[in-house]
Amino acid sequence: MKALVFHGPRDIRFENYADPELRTPNSAILKVSNCSICGSDLHMYHGAHIGNKEYGADSETFCTGHEFIGEVVEAGPNVHAFKTGDKVLAAGGTGCGSCPACLTGRPGNCAVSTAFGIGPTLQGGQAEYVCVPNADATLMSMDGLTDEQALLLTDGMATAYFGLTRAEPKPGGTVAVVGLGPIGLMGVELAFALGAAKVFAIDPVESRRAMAEKLGAIALAPGADLVPRVRDMTSGKGVESVFEASGASGAIASVLPLTARRGNASFIGIPEPNDALPLPLIMFKNITVRGGICDVQNMWPHLVPLVQQGRITAPDLFSHDFDLSQGSEAYSLFDSRDEGVLKINMTVG
């Protein structure tokens, strides 16, 4: 098959790769129709880290991508919820499907849980075909969803909901979203859907701030005057619920100063190993801090009704379309963060 293959920092190649085979009896193979690039993919692209894994020039090659949709073309004997021909979307990662955590709906707690396309352990879906282990729990039917909605539900929209709700936004309360990539912009829309009265949207890119303003947010650029301005607009209190959706060191550092006393701060951006939070600020402001990786499958029951009822529309998030064969150019453009670049759809075949 043809696939996008990681060969080292800023070296994503469209080339021949071995066809996937069923890994386990509970696996399915998808013929991928569309895939997209996530901000966390850029950690690999930059030769940085995801957890304790470093992506250098000597890294093993693997198929990239954890946001993909497609059609089931083969299913193992222990796959019961899907059959050949079903149009499905896949969660961005999965577990084994047979351990106690997986069997009780907590695949993120599985000892072998991992994301697709961040290493050779679980090949990614920026490819013509991909094997999906634990298929019954990892796949969801695309019935009633557009391709764009399905792609967003593979990871980005679920992560936005996970991160925002862990900041415990209250009806009539204040929310700040730090980082206005696709996840942050969906977080802005979700904050209003969950009842926030005032949402601050913070990002250095003007076009992204403009999109947040269209959603009703107060858009602000980062800088030395950010915290004083937010305090002025919150009667000196700061923000009750702060959702960090960037992973950039500056974004992470801005969160606790923005957070009100006894407020909540939620982090979902992938940090670098040296990123840290000041414990005295957490202690003396009584801030509740949460961070984590989204268990995508458990967000779907909350999100799919909101999407299908038009409560969440994620307008204009896909700014560019490419063919999979143009994957190298797509990664380069996505990495540029140029004005107008937001989310990239890649059509396969």
Side-chain angles (χ1 to χ4, degrees), residues 46-328:
H46 295 156
H49 299 79
I50 295 179
N52 59 7
K53 183 171 178 57
E54 183 174 0
Y55 295 89
D58 58 348
S59 297
E60 295 182 73
T61 59
F62 56 88
C63 292
T64 53
H66 60 267
E67 299 182 344
F68 55 88
I69 63 176
E71 178 183 335
V72 177
V73 294
E74 186 177 357
N78 291 350
V79 177
H80 306 294
F82 302 97
K83 63 185 184 303
T84 301
D86 285 349
K87 300 294 180 64
V88 295
L89 64 104
T94 192
C96 68
S98 57
C99 70
C102 285
L103 293 173
T104 54
R106 297 172 294 120
N109 288 0
C110 173
V112 297
S113 175
T114 188
F116 291 92
I118 63 170
T121 301
L122 191 58
Q123 301 289 341
Q126 290 172 351
E128 292 180 318
Y129 296 90
V130 61
C131 177
V132 178
N134 190 20
D136 283 344
T138 308
L139 301 177
M140 183 174 71
S141 170
M142 284 179 53
D143 287 349
L145 298 169
T146 68
D147 287 354
E148 288 189 355
Q149 290 168 339
L151 268 178
L152 292 175
L153 284 163
T154 62
D155 179 17
M157 187 178 291
T159 296
Y161 184 85
F162 170 81
L164 178 68
T165 54
R166 283 163 67 87
E168 297 187 8
K170 303 292 193 298
T174 55
V175 171
V177 179
V178 182
L180 299 177
I183 290 175
L185 287 167
M186 285 186 281
V188 169
E189 190 177 16
L190 283 162
F192 283 119
L194 296 176
K198 187 178 290 186
V199 178
F200 300 97
I202 300 158
D203 196 277
V205 179
E206 183 178 0
S207 61
R208 297 184 177 191
R209 297 198 302 271
M211 291 185 71
E213 285 182 331
K214 288 182 181 179
L215 295 171
I218 299 168
L220 300 169
D225 64 340
L226 175 62
V227 172
R229 290 183 66 189
V230 170
R231 288 192 174 279
D232 285 345
M233 288 184 277
T234 55
S235 302
K237 298 176 183 177
V239 182
E240 295 160 329
S241 302
V242 182
F243 170 36
E244 182 277 320
S246 167
S249 296
I252 292 170
S254 73
V255 168
L256 297 181
L258 287 168
T259 308
R261 291 184 180 276
R262 300 191 181 276
N264 297 282
S266 173
F267 296 82
I268 58 91
I270 302 294
E272 283 297 300
N274 292 328
D275 288 323
L277 298 174
L279 186 58
L281 203 53
I282 296 170
M283 292 287 292
F284 295 119
K285 291 179 73 175
N286 275 312
I287 296 173
T288 298
V289 174
R290 296 185 175 95
I293 304 299
C294 174
D295 49 341
V296 172
Q297 298 93 325
N298 288 328
M299 303 299 109
W300 287 339
H302 305 282
L303 283 169
V304 173
L306 293 174
V307 171
Q308 292 179 329
Q309 294 165 14
R311 299 278 303 281
I312 300 297
T313 61
D316 303 320
L317 283 188
F318 285 93
S319 59
H320 292 78
D321 292 283
F322 286 84
D323 186 82
L324 185 67
S325 63
Q326 302 168 298
S328 178

